[in-house]
Amino acid sequence: MKFKLLFLSFFVLSSSTFFAQQTIDKKVNDLLSKMTLKEKIGQMNQYNGFWNFTGPVPKGGDSKVKYDHLANGWVGSMLNITGVREVREVQKIAVENSRLGIPLIIGFDLIHGYKTVFPIPLAEAASWDLEAIRLSAAMAAKEASAAGINWTFAPMVDITRDARWGRVMEGAGEDPYLGSLVARARVEGFQGKDLGSPFTIAATAKHFAAYGFVEAGKEYNTVDIGLNTLHNIVLPPFKAAADAGIKTFMNSFNDLNGIPATADAYLQRDILKKEWNFDGFVVSDWGSIREMIAHGYAENQKHAGELALLGGSDMDMESSIYIYELEKLIQENKVSEAHIDDAVKRILKVKFELGLIDDPYLYCNEEIEAKIVGSKEIVDATLEVAKKSIVLLKNENEILPLRKKGVKIGLIGPLAADKSSPLGNWRIRADNNTAISVLEGLKNYKGNDLSYTQGVKLINKIPEGFHEEVQINTTDKTGFDEAIALAKKVEVVVMVLGEHGFQSGEGRSRSKIDLPGFQQELLEKVAAVNPNIVLVLMNGRPLVISWAAEHIPAIVEAWQLGTQSGNAIAQVLYGDYNPSGKLPMSFPRSLGQVPVYYNHKSTGRPGTEGEEPGSVFWSHYTDEENSPLYPFGFGLSYTTFEYSAFNLSATEMTKNTSIEASIVVKNTGKVKGKEVVQLYIQDPYASATRPVKELKGFKVIELEAGESQKVTFNLKEKDLAFYNAKQKWEAEPGTFHVFIGTDSKVKQKLTFELK
Ligand code: NOJ
């Protein structure tokens, strides 16, 4: 009976979605049949807001021309228009002036919050808390949609291994499994269960594809990777986003094996639209259609338009090429109207699903905007997520948590009182200096005697505006003496060092990834007079901090945590929140190791550090260890965990059976704490070489002091599948190793056979 009911409700549900979908398809076709060619092309044209921009403005794309295009119905979308008043203004031009009155879809880079800022995405990934990540996206969507936005260019799901690349801050780090789950959580957060609700927005999986593999971590650089890496490492999070029902994809600036991604039909048509059945639309990146000329792939603008459309780009972001060239290309039979119809249908469908066609002003309600933007609910959520994103990297002699009474604390560092940097990059609509600083956060704990000095100054190169450049001083050491004097007087020094929020993000690749400016020198000078240092790092990428790892007793990775940054950090330093984050990206020992990542291949000469005395003929550096300073998955707690009773329920698996892998985890310390229990596998021999380890499961558990819990994972054949030498996604029979532990260094393994 129960089964029948379940089946019935499943049938009713799926058939109602089916009919809703059919209705939308019919509405799309009806509308399309009324459109002129120029109006169709207009839907494929996206302009930036006239009063703001995030890149070079196209030639001739001045405000007057854009205005006329809008009024003619030759614009399908605008980006960077925010706030109900402004959105309503542009929407009115489109709806009331154009012949068919098709509303615009309003896009925005809602990367980690709108006005209220959540931790940078890399930091959120460090929480390994998918519910928190979903909440962050949902809250950001709620706030942004209240301000008129209905489409975000997020999540960035690029897998990143090279910390020199500035955009590592925007993603979930180096692992495709974690990256896929985070991608799904963010899509679910942004889009919710009902896209037609005024509080949910369409999401974008970007940058399709392989932008995270730019050579040498240099921004906008070329990418040359094989199919093995493309399918096994780069594509899984995109696939996860597609499977989660994401509505749009954005392609990327880079070329991939010689083809600019913007025109890559293998990626956009064969894989995305055919193999994955993606029925949303693909937007180009900013000007990336035009950039194919500079790439040396398109002869001129018209050619670029042709290549982009044939390659599967449905919407042109700020190149103005589709609107000027597509009609000519049709006349010359270079592209067919069917290509255009397909793109327009995809775009219209999303507009219908968002509820925009039925009500162009669905997202334009001033009362809701006033109530929701900056509301307590959202601010409180940022604090929750921020705490969970912090990673404790070192804690010797239990210097942390700090005692709450009677301690003289010296707070030092260029970022310690800073209220801008913690907002990170891509905080486009946050008011400047609205983050709670560490100084403010620590002041809430009144039982201690707190003094502060900056030590090294920040330099504001361009003080205002989106393209703000802030650096950490490299010429002025006048603050050193005061910092050293303060350090001498106190019991504990808290130093807040790292990168300014504008030193990572788009266009911010760095060739050195140690502490910038005079910070390293300051740290060493302070440590010489008072070794009791808690180093709080704020950064948008893994940094080389080998000296600190050796000499400083406590290190807290606090990334850029957004609006509530200082409160989250203070709660962790004082033990009101027991840190539970784990690194989503390996921290290198030295720059020369980059890219360094846990799921590397074995090579033909893996050797083992220390076991090949005298030999140099194995895969290693002669002047550096192979292992990273802090591995993927690493993070400490104020308590300790012990793993025991590792067990597999069987030693054989078939296509239709599963294996239960279990382990008992005990909290062996004195306080309650959370642990991210991680399961890795290794396929030691296959038709194409496999990584030495691959994350395939994790569970976040919370244990009281002394408490134990059995943690189980269910492994199935599909967890063992990969893109193999036959260019198929499948599992190959043979031996598999399973590891369960606290981070990717875990050694203890059990073995089973896939039959
Ligand atoms: C360029 C960036 O690469 C992309 O991620 C972003 O969404 C667009 N600019 C729009 O701002």
Side-chain angles (χ1 to χ4, degrees):
M1 181 63 192
K2 224 177 177 179
F3 175 76
K4 261 193 190 160
L5 261 176
L6 247 165
F7 178 76
L8 202 71
S9 51
F10 174 75
F11 178 77
V12 170
L13 241 162
S14 52
S15 58
S16 67
T17 346
F18 174 76
F19 287 124
Q21 203 52 60
Q22 273 212 324
T23 323
I24 288 190
D25 288 347
K26 185 175 176 317
K27 285 183 181 171
V28 167
N29 285 327
D30 287 351
L31 185 52
L32 190 78
S33 68
K34 296 190 186 111
M35 294 168 81
T36 63
L37 178 61
K38 189 74 183 189
E39 283 166 346
K40 289 180 190 173
I41 295 170
Q43 286 303 307
M44 301 163 70
N45 181 32
Q46 184 188 48
Y47 283 148
N48 186 56
F50 310 150
W51 43 83
N52 193 347
F53 50 88
T54 62
V57 177
K59 279 200 186 108
D62 63 38
S63 312
K64 168 78 177 85
V65 175
K66 285 178 168 179
Y67 183 95
D68 292 344
H69 284 190
L70 251 186
N72 290 342
W74 296 349
V75 183
S77 170
M78 294 198 71
L79 72 149
N80 290 330
I81 308 278
T82 54
V84 167
R85 196 182 56 78
E86 291 180 6
V87 171
R88 186 187 290 279
E89 230 171 85
V90 291
Q91 200 66 288
K92 262 179 94 172
I93 304 170
V95 171
E96 290 180 13
N97 294 271
S98 67
R99 195 176 69 91
L100 293 169
I102 302 174
L104 301 162
I105 174 170
I106 304 289
F108 183 74
D109 287 288
L110 188 68
I111 307 299
H112 55 119
Y114 176 67
K115 202 165 198 95
T116 313
V117 183
F118 282 82
I120 57 169
L122 185 67
E124 287 191 353
S127 75
W128 296 53
D129 184 329
L130 300 172
E131 199 34 61
I133 292 169
R134 191 176 297 116
L135 174 78
S136 159
M139 286 291 143
K142 189 169 180 182
E143 196 182 43
S145 60
I149 292 154
N150 39 54
W151 177 23
T152 173
F153 307 126
M156 183 187 100
V157 302
D158 295 309
I159 295 298
T160 56
R161 291 172 167 175
D162 194 325
R164 289 171 294 184
W165 192 46
R167 302 195 79 167
V168 305
M169 54 90 43
E170 278 178 67
E174 74 189 36
D175 181 62
Y177 177 82
L178 178 63
S180 298
L181 293 180
V182 170
R184 169 175 280 277
R186 290 203 211 281
V187 175
E188 289 172 354
F190 287 130
Q191 297 193 165
K193 289 202 168 74
D194 172 16
L195 198 61
S197 144
F199 301 115
T200 56
I201 60 179
T204 308
K206 71 186 189 185
H207 303 85
F208 200 56
Y211 187 23
F213 280 73
V214 282
E215 243 177 46
K218 192 174 74 175
E219 184 63 302
Y220 312 128
N221 207 359
T222 198
V223 176
D224 206 321
I225 56 170
L227 286 179
N228 189 294
T229 300
L230 179 68
H231 284 269
N232 287 311
I233 306 293
V234 171
L235 294 183
F238 287 101
K239 172 80 163 52
D243 289 345
I246 200 163
K247 292 296 159 190
T248 76
F249 266 57
M250 182 187 290
N251 53 41
S252 54
F253 290 127
N254 56 282
D255 65 334
L256 173 61
N257 306 332
I259 316 283
T262 304
D264 195 329
Y266 172 63
L267 284 177
Q268 302 182 123
R269 292 209 178 273
D270 299 351
I271 296 178
L272 178 63
K273 291 180 179 172
K274 267 200 211 113
E275 202 181 309
W276 296 353
N277 254 323
F278 171 71
D279 63 357
F281 69 88
V282 179
V283 63
S284 80
D285 202 346
W286 179 290
S288 69
I289 298 184
R290 187 169 11 100
E291 287 180 12
M292 291 199 290
I293 304 170
H295 270 290
Y297 189 67
E299 192 182 354
N300 50 37
Q301 297 216 22
K302 193 165 73 175
H303 190 209
E306 175 189 340
L307 292 168
L309 182 62
L310 295 179
S313 294
D314 300 310
M315 187 182 275
D316 171 0
M317 180 191 284
E318 270 289 344
S319 280
S320 303
I321 286 184
Y322 279 1
I323 198 66
Y324 288 114
E325 309 289 353
L326 282 188
E327 268 180 306
K328 286 182 237 164
L329 286 163
I330 293 255
Q331 283 151 15
E332 292 167 18
N333 275 327
K334 294 270 175 49
V335 302
S336 75
E337 196 159 344
H339 284 120
I340 292 184
D341 284 354
D342 177 59
V344 178
K345 276 193 208 171
R346 290 168 178 276
I347 295 164
L348 292 178
K349 188 163 168 288
V350 176
K351 290 188 179 184
F352 272 110
E353 288 169 341
L354 280 166
L356 277 171
I357 309 248
D358 295 324
D359 178 3
Y361 306 105
L362 181 64
Y363 300 83
C364 294
N365 181 323
E366 275 91 352
E367 268 171 42
I368 291 186
E369 183 179 34
K371 213 169 102 192
I372 287 180
V373 175
S375 64
K376 186 170 177 311
E377 182 195 18
I378 301 175
V379 174
D380 289 353
T382 67
L383 178 59
E384 270 317 294
V385 183
K387 287 190 284 197
K388 293 175 171 173
S389 305
I390 294 172
V391 185
L392 180 64
L393 294 177
K394 188 175 175 191
N395 191 19
E396 251 174 34
N397 313 326
E398 297 190 353
I399 182 169
L400 286 175
L402 299 170
R403 288 196 321 275
K404 287 187 179 160
K405 269 199 195 122
V407 189
K408 266 191 160 184
I409 297 177
L411 178 66
I412 299 174
L415 300 170
D418 190 65
K419 293 171 66 61
S420 162
S421 180
L423 299 174
N425 207 334
W426 288 117
R427 48 35 199 258
I428 314 185
R429 289 297 180 269
D431 294 328
N432 207 7
N433 294 321
T434 46
I436 304 283
S437 69
V438 178
L439 176 61
E440 288 168 321
L442 289 180
K443 274 186 182 163
N444 291 332
Y445 291 82
K446 301 194 191 312
N448 284 336
D449 174 359
L450 178 72
S451 316
Y452 156 74
T453 185
Q454 196 177 24
V456 176
K457 292 186 188 121
L458 295 170
I459 322 172
N460 249 22
K461 278 201 185 153
I462 306 168
E464 289 299 329
F466 174 64
H467 290 111
E468 191 171 13
E469 291 298 338
V470 183
Q471 304 289 336
I472 296 187
N473 209 308
T474 51
T475 53
D476 180 359
K477 292 191 199 169
T478 51
F480 273 38
D481 287 348
E482 206 175 309
I484 293 163
L486 174 60
K488 281 183 183 161
K489 286 194 304 215
V490 296
E491 187 181 326
V492 180
V493 180
V494 176
M495 290 193 79
V496 187
L497 308 179
E499 294 176 308
H500 190 274
F502 283 115
Q503 288 186 294
S504 59
E506 186 180 348
R508 272 65 167 208
S509 291
R510 288 177 59 206
S511 70
K512 301 174 201 73
I513 53 167
D514 39 18
L515 291 170
F518 283 140
Q519 296 180 103
Q520 180 63 32
E521 194 179 331
L522 178 71
L523 179 64
E524 291 180 27
K525 293 238 156 83
V526 169
V529 299
N530 187 342
N532 267 343
I533 296 179
V534 174
L535 172 60
V536 175
L537 286 173
M538 283 189 182
N539 40 303
R541 52 158 70 79
L543 295 177
V544 171
I545 49 157
S546 296
W547 187 90
E550 198 180 326
H551 297 95
I552 303 299
I555 306 178
V556 176
E557 176 52 75
W559 318 103
Q560 284 128 8
L561 294 174
T563 305
Q564 284 288 311
S565 190
N567 284 336
I569 293 167
Q571 289 188 23
V572 163
L573 296 187
Y574 277 106
D576 284 340
Y577 184 83
N578 186 354
S580 53
K582 301 271 188 172
L583 293 178
M585 232 180 135
S586 309
F587 272 44
R589 292 176 191 275
S590 54
L591 182 63
Q593 282 187 317
V594 172
V596 57
Y597 49 95
Y598 86 95
N599 50 354
H600 59 83
K601 301 288 184 68
S602 164
T603 81
R605 295 194 179 189
T608 308
E609 284 167 75
E611 282 182 18
E612 301 268 349
S615 168
V616 292
F617 302 111
W618 59 293
S619 178
H620 74 304
Y621 300 102
T622 54
D623 58 354
E624 184 58 278
E625 288 179 39
N626 277 353
S627 65
L629 181 64
Y630 296 114
F632 173 82
F634 177 79
L636 302 170
S637 160
Y638 293 149
T639 188
T640 45
F641 299 99
E642 197 181 86
Y643 285 68
S644 65
F646 183 19
N647 184 53
L648 294 185
S649 62
T651 49
E652 276 182 20
M653 185 197 279
T654 63
K655 266 192 185 333
N656 306 315
T657 59
S658 60
I659 286 188
E660 209 172 74
S662 64
I663 201 150
V664 173
V665 184
K666 182 173 185 195
N667 179 344
T668 47
K670 295 189 198 92
V671 289
K672 181 162 100 175
K674 279 190 202 155
E675 169 72 328
V676 183
V677 183
Q678 301 161 39
L679 179 142
Y680 296 85
I681 61 152
Q682 185 194 13
D683 184 351
Y685 147 74
S687 70
T689 57
R690 307 293 300 124
V692 295
K693 253 178 213 157
E694 292 174 274
L695 183 71
K696 288 292 171 184
F698 62 87
K699 291 210 167 132
V700 185
I701 57 166
E702 186 163 33
L703 298 176
E704 296 289 343
E707 196 190 350
S708 296
Q709 188 179 319
K710 183 174 170 188
V711 180
T712 55
F713 297 88
N714 208 269
L715 276 173
K716 294 201 176 71
E717 193 214 19
K718 72 170 176 39
D719 300 313
L720 314 175
F722 71 107
Y723 186 81
N724 66 9
K726 287 183 274 168
Q727 305 193 344
K728 284 213 170 97
W729 189 266
E730 58 190 10
E732 295 180 352
T735 304
F736 286 86
H737 300 311
V738 185
F739 309 77
I740 304 182
T742 185
D743 61 47
S744 62
K745 276 195 327 250
V746 53
K747 289 213 163 64
Q748 200 197 357
K749 66 182 180 204
L750 293 172
T751 298
F752 70 88
E753 294 286 318
L754 176 69
K755 290 288 174 188

